[in-house]
Amino acid sequence: MPHRALSATEPTFTTGEAAAILTLAGGFGGGAVSKRAMDSLVDKRLLPAKVVRRRTGRRALTSLGVALAGAELALRRDLPVTSLRKRVYQKIAAGEAAPGRVAAADAVMIDIGGPVARVEAALDEYERLMAEIEADPGVQHGEPVLRGTRVTVYTIAALVEAETPPAEILRHYPSLSARQVEAARVYAQAHPRRGRPALPGEGQVVLRISLDELGTP
């Protein structure tokens, strides 16, 4: 399946969504990429202005911007000369070069093809996962739920964050698939709720399952 075409204009992704996409791509530090890291790239103007937007009052990146953010995270340790990296990103955003081996200076080539390819694949996967989620004012008061169920996304995401084994989640929520559990995790990273409810006790995980969420008549 061919990857999506990267764009310097549309579509756009909030910095939280960009962080979730780069986490899916992997290879950018060995762990989850944070929204704070994405905000920092924007604040420090490490990415071309052309790929930075505002969406509903929040900072956002175009799909090309997300790919360049991934390249920045991958390259900055091995290539500490910030001006050279920025020059490559500017060339790509301006359409003067395609992602791959790009001249940053005389006799200096920077290869960002690998990181960008991983981000392209992650963008595709992110869209497929988000297709598992829907919001309907008539279901769970408009809270995002996993498609075809009444199970709220944040209910499942909280269990994943508490390191509840996927098999245990699926045992208690038989209407879900493993893919939907992953979709809930990714959605919650991309759209974090303000505040963080405390768990009932340290090291203790409680599954609160309502008949409504299970779809029991």
Side-chain angles (χ1 to χ4, degrees), residues 68-90:
L68 295 181
E72 172 64 14
L73 294 180
L75 293 176
R76 60 187 177 186
R77 289 186 180 179
D78 295 331
L79 184 67
V81 184
T82 304
S83 60
L84 293 181
R85 300 195 311 271
K86 290 178 68 174
R87 191 174 303 167
V88 166
Y89 307 151
Q90 292 286 356

Side-chain angles (χ1 to χ4, degrees), residues 15-16 34-45 59:
T15 52
S34 69
K35 178 181 182 300
R36 180 177 296 180
M38 293 296 96
D39 287 333
S40 178
L41 294 185
V42 175
D43 290 339
K44 293 178 181 178
R45 300 184 180 179
R59 289 177 293 187

Side-chain angles (χ1 to χ4, degrees), residues 3-178:
H3 293 159
R4 62 180 306 136
L6 297 175
S7 169
T9 54
E10 297 293 339
T12 60
F13 302 87
T14 66
T15 52
E17 291 170 329
I21 291 164
L22 294 183
T23 298
L24 277 175
F28 301 115
V33 176
S34 69
K35 178 181 182 300
R36 180 177 296 180
M38 293 296 96
D39 287 333
S40 178
L41 294 185
V42 175
D43 290 339
K44 293 178 181 178
R45 300 184 180 179
L46 293 171
L47 302 176
K50 190 172 184 178
V51 302
V52 179
R53 297 281 188 276
R54 291 198 74 84
R55 197 179 89 193
T56 61
R58 294 180 292 176
R59 289 177 293 187
L61 300 174
T62 66
S63 56
L64 179 59
V66 178
L68 295 181
E72 172 64 14
L73 294 180
L75 293 176
R76 60 187 177 186
R77 289 186 180 179
D78 295 331
L79 184 67
V81 184
T82 304
S83 60
L84 293 181
R85 300 195 311 271
K86 290 178 68 174
R87 191 174 303 167
V88 166
Y89 307 151
Q90 292 286 356
K91 284 184 176 183
I92 293 171
E96 298 172 7
R101 289 179 60 82
V102 182
D106 291 342
V108 178
M109 301 288 291
I110 297 179
D111 189 353
I112 69 170
V116 169
R118 292 205 306 275
V119 174
E120 285 183 295
L123 281 161
D124 288 337
E125 176 65 2
Y126 178 77
E127 290 195 346
R128 286 192 289 268
L129 288 172
M130 293 307 96
E132 299 286 350
I133 295 167
E134 60 187 356
D136 183 336
V139 177
Q140 299 289 39
H141 308 288
E143 282 281 310
V145 299
L146 292 156
R147 187 172 296 279
T149 78
R150 299 180 65 87
V151 182
T152 65
V153 168
Y154 292 108
T155 295
I156 301 304
L159 294 171
V160 173
E161 185 178 0
E163 299 183 356
T164 308
E168 184 73 1
I169 296 173
L170 294 173
R171 185 171 72 84
H172 286 278
Y173 290 88
S175 62
L176 300 184
S177 66

